[in-house]
Amino acid sequence: MAMRFFLIAASAAVLASAQAPPSNSSECTAKSFSLPSWLIEDVKYDDGAVSFDVSNRAIDFAESLVCKTKETGLSACSIQGKRWANNTLEASVETNSESTTFYLKQSWTCNDRGKTLIFTAAGNSSAAIDYDAPVLIKGSLTSPVTITPAYPAGPRGHDSPGCTSKSETPSWTLSAVYFTDKPGDGNNSLPFQNFNLLVTNPANGYQASCMPRGSVGGQPDLSSLSCAGYEFQGTVGQYSIVTAAGFDPDTYAFTLNQTWYCDDTDAARPLQITASGTTTLPLTCTTSPGPNNRTSRYCTIERSSLPLDGNLATVTTLRPYALEEPIPPTRDGCTLTSIFNPRWEFSHFQTTTSGDETEDDSTSGTVSFEVILAAEDRGFQYPIPIYQGEALEGEEEGWYECDIGADGGNGLPLWPYKCSFRYDAEGQGLELKADWACRDLDRENPINFSGVTTTSVDTTLTCETTASGQSRCTTDDPGYIWVAPITDVTW
Ligand SMILES: *[C@@H]1O[C@H](CO)[C@@H](O)[C@H](O)[C@H]1NC(C)=O
Ligand SMILES: *[C@@H]1O[C@H](CO)[C@@H](O)[C@H](O)[C@H]1NC(C)=O
Ligand SMILES: *[C@@H]1O[C@H](CO)[C@@H](O)[C@H](O)[C@H]1NC(C)=O
Ligand SMILES: *[C@@H]1O[C@H](CO)[C@@H](O)[C@H](O)[C@H]1NC(C)=O
Ligand SMILES: *[C@@H]1O[C@H](CO)[C@@H](O)[C@H](O)[C@H]1NC(C)=O
Ligand SMILES: *[C@@H]1O[C@H](CO)[C@@H](O)[C@H](O)[C@H]1NC(C)=O
Ligand SMILES: *[C@@H]1O[C@H](CO)[C@@H](O)[C@H](O)[C@H]1NC(C)=O
């Protein structure tokens, strides 16, 4: 059985590699931020030398290298053949009797975003001397920002020990099976059918809940059930487990199709496995008399779970390390917004002036507003309120510290963590000096940005006197928002 399984896998591999997506040089920047990494392939050991091919997964770069291995310690490598224009690659290896460690450092440029950025990344990885699959070297960037990009977790259970071997004889466990069939009376109550179950794949521990997907003529269509797991798309990566099922209310026949992934034996050779299974569910039903001499059925299985044996349909070898390969974002988050199009979005601007006539109006007022980085991808973040804090002195006379509102969010704020501002009531001019941090690319190592904004509240403020004698001025349109660029951005 095992033999047959791997024969299928090997023949499918040819198919899969031919379908590898072409690299898209216009995504140079997005890929360089999310997957600076290399594949080492075709490693050959010769007398006192090791040769291999290296390709950069972020850009269209591939070269063949040769390294003269000394007795011990690091050996520098040289590129064979043509030089790569404007890209620098430093490579070295360290070889002992059992394994080789590859060290890489490379700089390259991307200019697909209007602004030319120089990327520098470095990484290392070891492989046994007799290992013949591609070796992945994950890179950490040191330019233009210092980050180690996060990798997605991949589809559920893909690397759990035994995933591949258990998948050779596919099976599932069915549980929580419920079938309801209530005929309609022909006038008022409509006929109603429902079917639910849980399906668990023991190879990867993945559990999906199946329910009717849509309806045919107002009736749920039980022949096409939709099955969903509890995975969060954001961290799964580009391959997610897909389950489809169907149930026949007349024969109790249940069919299941599922596609899942295993790379527990070798992440360089990830498998995509599709299998299907069919069974007649041993449903036990309680009935009650319904209208028109028809009976209503409520059915379930007596045991807590039921095995379902499956048949392998296809096994495909995907490209090396595909399951945890990061997906370059299509919309700019915190970091890319801060680099390419840094802007604050302001809202809820208001001034409050105390009724105290003894003080000059322009200094006794306090200003508040809400602000958020105008990123394309804001996740679940909303603007944070900024209140007027301590007055600054000396050279910063007229400026106030920001009293930043309660941090209601968590993970990835798009707000200043520190700022100061100055407001000119006469001309409605607002200046903001802000520091903010981005951790969308690397949660552990946030990138600190700072920049200044000079803008104005370009709408009419309407003032009213509150019960306590204060004068409060707000924008005419309470929903008025405006966006202003952040200049002199540094990090
Ligand atoms: C490359 O990416 C750009 C932007 O995402 C897209 O418009 C273009 O169609 C892509 N080209 C190819 C060949 O995939
Ligand atoms: C290399 O860089 C130089 C200057 O930065 C530029 O003029 C030249 O066009 C670049 N060459 C290539 C092949 O990109
Ligand atoms: C090798 O890579 C690890 C992370 O994978 C890193 O911590 C270490 O500093 C690297 N070693 C060298 C010599 O670059
Ligand atoms: C359906 O409608 C008919 C005529 O209005 C009525 O006699 C009959 O009792 C109704 N059946 C049910 C089950 O309500
Ligand atoms: C399962 O896959 C087979 C073959 O592609 C297809 O004929 C069948 O309709 C599928 N069943 C379900 C329930 O999706
Ligand atoms: C229900 O069944 C009984 C006995 O079989 C029959 O006499 C009656 O006509 C049926 N009623 C309807 C509405 O079909
Ligand atoms: C970013 O700013 C925070 C808060 O001021 C500070 O603790 C941290 O060390 C800074 N990080 C870097 C990389 O400068």
Side-chain angles (χ1 to χ4, degrees):
M1 189 53 181
M3 197 57 205
R4 192 178 147 260
F5 183 71
F6 286 106
L7 282 177
I8 301 170
S11 62
V14 179
L15 198 85
S17 57
Q19 292 172 337
S23 73
N24 188 337
S25 61
S26 69
E27 291 171 342
C28 183
T29 300
K31 283 178 160 178
S32 297
F33 275 112
S34 51
L35 70 159
S37 52
W38 303 267
L39 288 178
I40 302 283
E41 289 171 88
D42 204 15
V43 183
K44 291 199 184 84
Y45 294 92
D46 229 335
D47 259 0
V50 52
S51 65
F52 53 89
D53 295 339
V54 55
S55 56
N56 186 323
R57 294 202 299 176
I59 54 171
D60 181 16
F61 169 88
E63 282 298 352
S64 300
L65 302 186
V66 172
C67 324
K68 297 241 182 304
T69 49
K70 288 179 281 186
E71 295 285 293
T72 54
L74 277 180
S75 309
C77 311
S78 59
I79 295 180
Q80 299 301 290
K82 71 172 164 57
R83 287 243 154 235
W84 179 257
N86 291 0
N87 282 275
T88 60
L89 174 68
E90 292 168 36
S92 53
V93 297
E94 197 167 14
T95 300
N96 62 35
S97 56
E98 276 133 38
S99 68
T100 299
T101 307
F102 302 88
Y103 298 89
L104 294 182
K105 183 177 177 192
Q106 188 175 18
S107 294
W108 65 93
T109 58
C110 294
N111 51 18
D112 57 308
R113 290 292 305 264
K115 188 172 187 163
T116 301
L117 290 183
I118 298 169
F119 288 87
T120 302
N124 66 77
S125 192
S126 298
I129 296 275
D130 59 0
Y131 187 67
D132 60 356
V135 178
L136 173 66
I137 301 183
K138 295 181 179 180
S140 294
L141 285 176
T142 52
S143 169
V145 293
T146 302
I147 53 161
T148 301
Y151 278 62
R156 169 76 200 253
H158 67 93
D159 55 355
S160 61
C163 184
T164 303
S165 61
K166 288 180 201 160
S167 298
E168 287 173 28
T169 48
S171 71
W172 296 273
T173 302
L174 310 179
S175 59
V177 183
Y178 298 105
F179 169 50
T180 306
D181 180 26
K182 286 164 77 175
D185 65 3
N187 356 356
N188 297 320
S189 75
L190 291 167
F192 174 72
Q193 284 189 332
N194 196 16
F195 182 86
N196 306 100
L197 60 59
L198 295 176
V199 50
T200 309
N201 188 330
N204 53 11
Y206 178 82
Q207 187 177 67
S209 166
C210 302
M211 61 193 72
R213 185 194 302 271
S215 57
V216 175
Q219 264 276 53
D221 177 13
L222 305 191
S223 69
S224 169
L225 303 170
S226 115
C227 304
Y230 303 100
E231 63 270 20
F232 292 100
Q233 285 301 330
T235 61
V236 169
Q238 23 194 315
Y239 295 93
S240 50
I241 298 171
V242 177
T243 313
F247 174 71
D248 183 338
D250 298 323
T251 62
Y252 295 170
F254 175 76
T255 61
L256 181 75
N257 289 346
Q258 190 172 64
T259 298
W260 70 96
Y261 302 88
C262 294
D263 66 358
D264 56 310
T265 55
D266 189 351
R269 299 178 176 100
L271 298 180
Q272 179 183 58
I273 300 154
T274 300
S276 60
T278 301
T279 189
T280 300
L281 293 175
L283 292 176
T284 323
C285 305
T286 57
T287 56
S288 60
N292 290 353
N293 279 1
R294 298 185 59 190
T295 47
S296 295
R297 291 181 287 173
Y298 305 92
C299 311
T300 186
I301 52 172
E302 284 180 329
R303 286 181 287 163
S304 63
S305 68
L306 188 73
L308 169 61
D309 290 336
N311 293 308
L312 279 178
T314 58
V315 179
T316 307
T317 306
L318 302 173
R319 66 179 184 285
Y321 307 96
L323 299 184
E324 292 185 4
E325 190 173 304
I327 309 174
T330 52
R331 297 186 304 154
D332 287 352
C334 188
T335 306
L336 268 66
T337 300
S338 302
I339 291 172
F340 292 108
N341 193 12
R343 299 176 304 159
W344 293 118
E345 182 185 288
F346 294 89
S347 55
H348 283 91
F349 183 88
Q350 84 173 35
T351 65
T352 310
T353 318
S354 75
D356 190 344
E357 299 293 330
T358 61
E359 286 193 61
D360 178 43
D361 266 355
S362 62
T363 56
S364 65
T366 66
V367 169
S368 70
F369 52 90
E370 292 189 355
V371 76
I372 186 167
L373 192 70
E376 284 171 345
D377 181 4
R378 302 184 191 182
F380 297 105
Q381 297 305 333
Y382 44 83
I384 192 87
I386 304 275
Y387 306 101
Q388 184 168 319
E390 293 286 304
L392 298 174
E393 286 165 3
E395 283 187 9
E396 298 194 290
E397 177 92 55
W399 287 80
Y400 292 87
E401 260 174 30
C402 295
D403 181 1
I404 299 167
D407 175 356
N410 37 40
L412 306 169
L414 295 165
W415 313 313
Y417 62 82
K418 185 171 179 286
C419 61
S420 59
F421 68 85
R422 175 162 70 175
Y423 179 63
D424 156 35
E426 200 89 335
Q428 294 187 185
L430 181 66
E431 289 169 89
L432 179 69
K433 293 183 202 164
D435 296 341
W436 69 101
C438 291
R439 44 178 80 232
D440 56 330
L441 300 179
D442 182 354
R443 282 197 177 236
E444 266 79 61
N445 303 294
I447 308 157
N448 288 346
F449 290 91
S450 52
V452 298
T453 300
T454 302
T455 182
S456 62
V457 189
D458 202 6
T459 186
T460 313
L461 295 175
T462 306
C463 304
E464 58 177 24
T465 306
T466 65
S468 56
Q470 291 176 326
S471 169
R472 184 183 322 136
C473 307
T474 56
T475 54
D476 271 356
D477 171 6
Y480 181 74
I481 60 169
W482 79 99
V483 171
I486 312 171
T487 57
D488 303 327
V489 175
T490 58
W491 65 85

